[in-house]
Structures are given as structure tokens and as C-alpha cells.
Amino acid sequence: MQTVAQILHALQAGEISSREITADVLARIERLDPQVHAFLTVTPEAALQAAAEADRQRLAARRAGQTPPPLLGLPLAVKDVLSTRGIRTTCGSRILDNYIPPFDATAVQRLKAAGAIIVGKTNTDEFAMGSSTENSAYGVTHNPWDLERVPGGSSGGSAAAVAARMVPVALGTDTGGSVRQPASFCGVTGLKPTYGRISRYGLIAYGSSLDTVGVLTQTAEDAALFLHLMAGQDPLDATSMDVPRPPQRLEGREDLRGLKIGVPREYFTEGIQPAVARAVHAALDVMADLGAAIEETSLPHTEYAVPVYYLIATAEASANLARFDGIRYGPRAQAEQMWDVFFRTRGQYFGPEVKRRIMLGTYALSAGYYDAYYGQAQKVRTLIKRDFEEAFEQVDLIAAPVAPTTAFRIGQHSGDPLSMYLEDVFTLPANLSGVPGVSFPVGFDDLGLPIGMQLMGPHFQETRLLHAAHIYQQATDWHRHQPDLLAGD
Ligand code: GLN
């Protein structure tokens, strides 16, 4: 599978039609997805019809001497927590088993307006709560690099679909690492934009003060194009910001000269797998050779990120998930009394992790415990945010591992929620402070599993981090490696 940039180039040059590339994508999904299970829904008829229409539109534009929309005819996969008009959207939950949204999420709508074609919806932990896709009610996604291992999560389906080269690009969401960590586990590039950069309208809410829409691609260059197309204020999301859209292309920089990259000492602690630390340091050496100045920095409140996040995210989730009551959406349990309808529906159709989080969040918000838990977490969140503000007075970017380990075995953490939560330690701080982060491949461990590294930057400086990742990708080829699953492809 080519990159988005290559496919768009071939479409524009008339070397390939949208019907051909869409049929190729669908054939790959048919061949590989029985092993990977990245998709919850595939929409072949609608996709092929849209592709034929895109080919007609391109021809008409050419004849009229007009420029066609930038993504015209490009196939795309969408995480199943983003609303897609007319296409089942489950959030990986039985409680939305039969839900078909009557509208598109703004991010999806903007990409459709740019000509993209949805080929399917990807697997996710239920309501994006998890780090492995094991919490999906529809079965786990398998990591294309080792089918016995998780792809990460919660956007594990999107990461696996791009890693297995079933699609050139997939949308994800990142509330506490759900784009960056699966990107790292699957050897692809994942962008989590600044909070407020892309509208959350139509993203089925998990933690509203943390949720962001992101994208998984093979290259930083492709991520920049999608950021450009999805970014911008939206009257339907009051937290979307009115700031200039980042540019479509990463131009005007040949190397990393003049860039100061800080490496926080708190991110290289005991629990980190030695191969991960080694690969990140090797990548920093490459960046130094490319002209960057690397220096140690500190984010002193990092150790509080896990407890703070798991109080705030669960508190917000407990409020957001109140709407799933069996009346407005999805299946309904039968009972005589109204309250029993609510109880039974929620009891039957929410999975165990979602119930655990609703209980945690409700407890953290309850009278008598609010100040001790939720209120305290909000204060420490401010300290974590300040850590970044202070660090960014000294450095332009912060470089760190994405996760302490490479992809773990299916089942390894599933009996122990706390050990799963601890996997998120390096990704949560960016969500708590709202800053952007990009994850990209920088090597492999002894088992041949991909290792990712992340760059974080000040609010709305996505282009700075994507540009640095792009320069790195031009000097290295980690992002071009493909899983053995594709041998002979
Ligand atoms: N793993 C984290 C959680 O379970 C983050 C998930 C996410 O970013 N959606 O909440």
C-alpha cells in the first residue's frame, strides 16, 4: 500500500482510478482482516459507488479546467467512536449495537467534503476506554506484527489497519494516548492534535476535556495533510478554537538546525523496557546529527499523571455515559418500571471496564469525596500543565518514549486493570495539558516488535513536531518496514 501522498499523486496524474485503489483496499481487507480483525463494519458497495462517482467528478473537473477536491477518491477508515451518517457506529459497545447516526462527525464531514471515501469502521476498546482493544465487545484486534499480541488501544483497529496496509490512513481519537500508543505498538505514525484544534462534534464523548480527534498514517507528511483538512473552528463545538489552520505541506526546512529538543528525565524510569529506551536514544542521536540540540529537561509532576487522569477521565465518562439508558439509543432491556429499564439496559449492555469506570467516576464526583478526589485531581492537572509551560520556555519540543513497553500479549494485563492503566504513563500528560503529540517508529525490540517515540510541542505547534518527524523519516526508514504478514504482497 502506498502512502496517501503517493496515491493522491497517482490519482491526479491519471495513473490509477479511485475505483482501482478502492477495490484494492477492499480486497486487502477481505484477505487480511480475518486474521487481524481491525474492522467492525466494512461498506464495500457504498465505497465502490462513491469511487465511481469520484472518477466521474475528476474527469469533469479536468474537462472544465478546474482543480478537484484534495482527497478526491481516496479510501479512508474511521474509528467506530466517530459518527458516520448512515453507517453503524457502535463505540465497540453492545449498547450501541444497532445505532446508525443520522449525521457525520465534523472531522468526517470535512474529509468527505474533501473527497475521501469511507471504506469501514475500525475496532476500539468500548467507548475508547482501554489500551489494547481487548475491551471491545466485538472481539480483540490482533497486532499485524505478531497476531498473539495486542495492537494497543483504544484506536487499535485503526493502527492495525494502517500497519497491515489495508488502508493508507485511518482516523482515531486520543483521550489519554489512544492514537499515539497504538501507532507505537503497530509501527505507524499517529498524530494527537492540540485540544480544540479539531472539532469534537460527532465524536461520541468519553472525557470531554481530554478527547481529541487524531489520525494514523504511514508518514508525518500524510498526517499534516489530514490535520490541515480537519482543523478549524466549528460552531457545533464550543471548545474548537479559532486559530489559523496549519499548512498542508511540510516545507522550508532541510534539517533540524536551530531546534532545541528537551528530554524529560522522568520518562526514563525503572519500568521502561531497555530496548525502548535504547531506540529512543538512538533516534535522538539521529536528530542531533540532523542539527537538533538535545538537552535534558524535567516534567516534575509526571508521576501523578496516572491517578489524575483516571479520576478526571472517569468522572467525565460517568456523566457522558448517562445518556445510554435504553430509551434514546440502542437496545432496550424489558422491565415493568422505568428505573428497571435503565438499570437492566445498562447492566446488560455495558461491558465490565465501562461499568468499572462509571463507578470510579461517580465515586470521585460524589458529595463528600468530590474535594478529596475530583477537586484535588483538577489542581494537580494544573501543575502538570505548568510543567509543560515551563519546559517550553527552555526547549522547542519534548521527546519521549510513547509507552514503557512494546506490544504486550493478548490477555497479559486483562485481569489487572491497574497494570493496564500504568501502560499509559507517558501519553496521559499531553492530554491533561492539551498539547499536541506525534508518535512515529524508531526501531524494533529483540522480538521484532515496533518501538515508537513521541514528540510533544506547545499548544497549536503541530507543524513544528510534524516537521521534525518528517525530517527524521527522510533520514531513516523505520516507517517503511512492514509486518511479515504482508510478505509476498
Ligand atoms: N488508555 C486510556 C484509557 O483507557 C486512554 C484511552 C484513550 O485515549 N481513549 O482511558
Side-chain angles (χ1 to χ4, degrees), residues 79 127-131 135 153-155 173-179 206 211 309-310 313 353 357 420-421 424 427-428 431:
K79 183 180 181 181
F127 287 101
M129 296 175 186
S131 314
N135 297 336
S154 60
S155 312
T173 61
D174 192 313
T175 303
S178 282
V179 164
Y206 163 17
D211 291 342
Y309 171 85
Y310 277 95
E353 183 63 24
R357 298 205 184 189
M420 185 81 90
Y421 299 171
D424 298 338
T427 48
L428 304 176
N431 300 81

Side-chain angles (χ1 to χ4, degrees), residues 254-257 261 278-294 440-443 453 468-478:
E254 301 291 300
D255 54 33
L256 300 178
R257 261 180 296 175
I261 301 182
R278 228 179 298 131
V280 171
H281 281 121
L284 288 167
D285 288 344
V286 172
M287 292 183 185
D289 287 345
L290 290 165
I294 314 286
F440 51 97
V442 293
M453 153 170 172
H470 175 58
I471 302 277
Y472 175 83
Q473 289 183 331
Q474 291 195 305
T476 57
D477 70 352
W478 300 115

Side-chain angles (χ1 to χ4, degrees), residues 58-70:
R58 185 174 297 279
L59 193 66
R62 188 167 298 147
R63 289 203 178 122
Q66 288 162 349
T67 315

